[in-house]
C-alpha cells in the first residue's frame, strides 16, 4: 500500500571540502521557493538565521498547510516529501503566500533517507529546533479480508516512520530545547470500523509519544500530538484504493462497509475541515510558550475524542461506532 568521524589531520580543510560537496549534491535534490525564485537555498541559510523546523509529508493537506503557516510565522522550514517530483502544489502555495521553503526528499520508511535529510539540515543550518511528523498513509480494510503483510505496511508508514524521524532528530532537539510534534488522528484515540490497521498505528503513535513525553521533557524537549478529525480532500485521495472495488470484494462485510463508506464520505465532503484550519493546531504546538501534549484541530474532534476519555467500560465508543455500519 500507498503508503562520521573524521581524523584530526587537516580536518579544517577537509570539513570545508565536505561542506562544499554536500552543498553541490544537495542542490540537485532540493530547491528554495519564494517570491524571488532566483535566490539560492544556500543564500537563504545565511541571510535568515531563524529557528529551523523539519516537516514530513508536505506534498498536500495538513503538511503543506503547516509548512506555509510555519514559514509565515518566521520559521526556516525544511519541507520534506518522499517524491520531490510531487512538490508542485507546495511550490505554488509557497509562491502565493510569499514565503520561502527548503524542499528536500525524505522517505520516512527508509532509515538512510531519514539520516541523510536530518544530517543535511544540521550541515546546512547548524541546528534543528522542531520536527513535525506528518507523513502517513490512510488505509481501508478489515482483518479477514486483508493480509497481515498489509497491516505491517500500514504500521511501517504510520508508526515506524514516525520513530525513524524522531530518533534521528532527538539529539539535535535536545541541543536546542526543541519540539517534537506528531500529527496523529482522532483515530489514534477511538478505533473505527474498517480502519483496524490505521487506527492501530495511530494508537501506537499516541501511546509511544505519551510515554516519551515526560522522558524527553527531562532533557528539554517538548512532545505534542495533534489529532485532526475529517480533513477535506484527504480521505478518498489518501487511502490508495478504489472504493467500488473494495465494496465488490467485501464478501460478508459488504453491507457494513457500504454503510461505513456512505457515512464517512458524506462527512468528509460535507463537514470536514480545510487543511489550513487543521494546521492552526499544528502551529500552536510549534509556537505556544507551553503547548499541551494533546491538541485537537476542531470542536468536533475535541467532542469526539472526549467520548473515549470518559468511557471507562467502552460502551459509549462501541455504541457510537456501531451505528456507522448499520
Amino acid at each position: 500500500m500507498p503508503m562520521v568521524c573524521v581524523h584530526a589531520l587537516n580536518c579544517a580543510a577537509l570539513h570545508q571540502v565536505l561542506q562544499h560537496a554536500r552543498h553541490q549534491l544537495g542542490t540537485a535534490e532540493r530547491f528554495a521557493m519564494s517570491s524571488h525564485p532566483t535566490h539560492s537555498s544556500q543564500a537563504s541559510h545565511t541571510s535568515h538565521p531563524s529557528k529551523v523546523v523539519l516537516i514530513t509529508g508536505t506534498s498536500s493537506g495538513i503538511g503543506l498547510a503547516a509548512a506555509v503557516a510555519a514559514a509565515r510565522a518566521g520559521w526556516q522550514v525544511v519541507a520534506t516529501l518522499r517524491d520531490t517530483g510531487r512538490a508542485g502544489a507546495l511550490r505554488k502555495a509557497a509562491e502565493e503566500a510569499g514565503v520561502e521553503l527548503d524542499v528536500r526528499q525524505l522517505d520516512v520508511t527508509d532509515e538512510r533517507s531519514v539520516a541523510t535529510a536530518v544530517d543535511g539540515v544540521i550541515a546546512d543550518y547548524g541546528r534543528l529546533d522542531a520536527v513535525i511528523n506528518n507523513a502517513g498513509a490512510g488505509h481501508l480494510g478489515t482483518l479477514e479480508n486483508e493480509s497481515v503483510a498489509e497491516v505491517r505496511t500500514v504500521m511501517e508508514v504510520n508508526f515506524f516512520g514516525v520513530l525513524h524521524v524522531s530518533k534521528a532528530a532527538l539529539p539535535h532537539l535536545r541541543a536546542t530545547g526543541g519540539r517534537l510534534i506528531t500529527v496523529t488522528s482522532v483515530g489514534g484515540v477511538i478505533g473505527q470500523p474498517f480502519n483496524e490497521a490505521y487506527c492501530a498505528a495511530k494508537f501506537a503513535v499516541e501511546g509511544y509519544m505519551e510515554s516519551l513525553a515526560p522522558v524527553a521533557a527531562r532533557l528539554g524537549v517538548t512532545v505534542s500530538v495533534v489529532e485532526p478529525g475529517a480533513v477535506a480532500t484527504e480521505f478518498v485521495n489518501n487511502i490508495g484504493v478504489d472504493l467500488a472495488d473494495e465494496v465488490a470484494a467485501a464478501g460478508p462485510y459488504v453491507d457494513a462497509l457500504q454503510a461505513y463508506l456512505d457515512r464517512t464520505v458524506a462527512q468528509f465532503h460535507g463537514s470536514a475541515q480545510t487543511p489550513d484550519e487543521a494546521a492552526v493546531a499544528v502551529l500552536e504546538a510549534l509556537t505556544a510558550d507551553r503547548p499541551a501534549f494533546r491538541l485537537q484541530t476542531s470542536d468536533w474532534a475535541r467532542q469526539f475524542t472526549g467520548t473515549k476519555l470518559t468511557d471507562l467500560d467502552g460502551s459509549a465508543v462501541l455504541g457510537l461506532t456501531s451505528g456507522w455500519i448499520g
Side-chain angles (χ1 to χ4, degrees):
M1 104 123 259
M3 161 216 13
V4 276
C5 233
V6 180
H7 193 278
L9 182 63
N10 293 324
C11 83
L14 183 57
H15 178 72
Q16 292 179 349
V17 172
L18 288 172
Q19 290 290 85
H20 178 71
R22 283 193 188 101
H23 173 62
Q24 292 299 106
L25 289 170
T27 53
E29 294 185 343
R30 64 182 185 267
F31 48 90
M33 299 182 303
S34 69
S35 56
H36 306 286
T38 57
H39 287 184
S40 72
S41 77
Q42 185 64 39
S44 71
H45 300 173
T46 57
S47 60
H48 301 287
S50 49
K51 287 187 175 182
V52 179
V53 57
L54 182 150
I55 308 176
T56 67
T58 61
S59 63
S60 64
I62 296 174
L64 183 156
V68 172
R72 279 176 167 160
W75 287 70
Q76 171 61 61
V77 176
V78 180
T80 73
L81 56 166
R82 185 176 59 181
D83 177 6
T84 55
R86 298 181 59 215
L90 180 65
R91 297 167 67 175
K92 182 179 179 182
E95 182 178 358
E96 290 176 351
V99 298
E100 182 177 284
L101 306 176
D102 180 357
V103 175
R104 307 191 182 200
Q105 193 275 338
L106 190 159
D107 179 351
V108 299
T109 66
D110 183 341
E111 290 185 75
R112 183 173 297 180
S113 171
V114 171
T116 297
V118 173
D119 290 349
V121 170
I122 299 304
D124 289 341
Y125 296 103
R127 63 186 296 142
L128 180 60
D129 299 274
V131 163
I132 299 173
N133 289 304
N134 175 72
H139 182 75
L140 185 72
T142 192
L143 182 58
E144 189 176 350
N145 288 353
E146 64 186 356
S147 68
V148 173
E150 289 177 286
V151 176
R152 290 186 191 278
T153 298
V154 176
M155 295 295 292
E156 284 293 339
V157 175
N158 292 303
F159 177 59
F160 290 109
V162 169
L163 299 194
H164 289 157
V165 175
S166 301
K167 181 177 176 65
L170 269 171
H172 309 296
L173 298 178
R174 284 195 290 104
T176 57
R179 298 192 176 181
L180 178 61
I181 301 160
T182 303
V183 178
T184 64
S185 168
V186 294
V189 180
I190 293 182
Q192 300 173 38
F194 297 102
N195 281 258
E196 293 102 306
Y198 179 79
C199 288
K202 295 299 187 178
F203 267 63
V205 170
E206 292 255 346
Y208 202 102
M209 291 300 168
E210 191 169 50
S211 302
L212 177 63
V215 179
R218 288 293 298 270
L219 299 174
V221 178
T222 301
V223 175
S224 295
V225 297
V226 177
E227 298 165 346
V231 176
T233 76
E234 293 194 347
F235 175 71
V236 174
N237 293 344
N238 200 28
I239 59 175
V241 298
D242 183 282
L243 297 183
D245 289 347
E246 287 294 303
V247 171
Y253 300 95
V254 62
D255 291 340
L257 177 59
Q258 187 63 65
Y260 169 76
L261 290 175
D262 290 345
R263 174 260 172 204
T264 303
V265 171
Q267 182 189 26
F268 272 77
H269 289 168
S271 59
Q273 285 185 286
T274 68
D276 287 339
E277 290 168 344
V280 171
V282 179
L283 193 65
E284 180 181 346
L286 181 65
T287 61
D289 290 339
R290 295 173 62 86
F293 167 72
R294 183 176 282 113
L295 300 91
Q296 294 80 34
T297 64
S298 67
D299 290 339
W300 180 90
R302 279 184 283 277
Q303 181 180 13
F304 185 63
T305 56
T307 303
K308 175 66 168 282
L309 299 177
T310 59
D311 184 25
L312 297 182
D313 68 358
S315 59
V317 166
L318 293 182
L320 175 67
T321 57
S322 294
W324 296 1
I325 55 176

